[in-house]
Amino acid sequence: MKGAPFDKKMLTQTYEGITLRPLYCREDIQNLGHVNSFPGFVPFVRGATASGYLHEPWDVSQEIITSSPSEFNHAARNSVSRGSNALNMVLDQATRDGHDPDWARPEEVGHGGLSIATLGDLDRALEGVDLERFACSSGRAPPACRLRRCWRP
């Protein structure tokens, strides 16, 4: 640690505000009420069904925030090759609102997400991704991945 405080070197903050420690002890879970709960029972912190996620396992997904279809495709293929079984396509404001990027405000296009203006853009973004094998979501936006399946079987 080279003289650095323990808190600075060994504790990590997640973006949710959870502090992760390098080591946990039995005392760390003494005040957690849900430790002895079971899946399918109140308070449902271990899943809503008694079988947990044995029959329908969780998706391993990566939120992909890129502005162009080619960047998205590169990131999506990389994510899938590393074990993801689902993609989370973050769309820019213009796409979410259904606006043509040529007519949308400049700050709405490509900022904070993928800009999809045409079916060709969607084809480029998802080229080489088998949508029968990999789930794809686009948050609050229309299900862009499902639309592509309808237009390009």
Side-chain angles (χ1 to χ4, degrees):
M1 291 188 358
K2 298 182 181 177
F6 180 84
D7 291 357
K8 296 286 184 196
K9 283 288 192 180
M10 302 303 290
L11 303 182
T12 306
Q13 283 283 344
T14 67
Y15 69 90
E16 298 98 344
I18 300 169
T19 303
L20 300 177
R21 294 192 245 166
L23 179 69
Y24 290 90
C25 302
R26 186 176 308 273
E27 295 80 31
D28 294 324
I29 64 170
Q30 283 181 344
N31 294 326
L32 297 177
H34 66 276
V35 172
N36 295 320
S37 68
F38 293 99
F41 296 94
V42 175
F44 300 107
V45 294
R46 296 184 59 199
T49 63
S51 64
Y53 295 97
L54 293 175
H55 301 290
E56 291 184 41
W58 286 42
D59 285 333
V60 177
S61 176
Q62 176 69 44
E63 183 176 73
I64 301 175
I65 304 173
T66 60
S67 57
S68 76
S70 59
E71 290 173 0
F72 179 87
N73 183 265
H74 178 70
R77 287 175 161 213
N78 184 40
S79 181
V80 165
S81 73
R82 294 174 177 260
S84 289
N85 66 348
L87 299 172
N88 186 352
M89 179 185 289
V90 178
L91 301 174
D92 68 352
Q93 187 67 45
T95 304
R96 287 193 312 262
D97 291 345
H99 296 159
D100 184 323
D102 293 334
W103 296 98
R105 294 190 316 253
E107 63 271 10
E108 293 179 343
V109 180
H111 296 283
L114 179 61
S115 181
I116 298 288
T118 66
L119 190 56
D121 289 343
L122 194 57
D123 282 340
R124 279 188 296 283
L126 296 171
E127 183 180 344
V129 176
D130 183 357
L131 296 177
E132 295 299 321
R133 289 186 48 219
F134 301 101
C136 184
S137 66
S138 50
R140 301 181 315 258
C145 302
R146 278 188 245 137
L147 286 176
R148 180 177 182 260
R149 258 192 294 213
C150 293
W151 291 99
R152 300 272 196 256

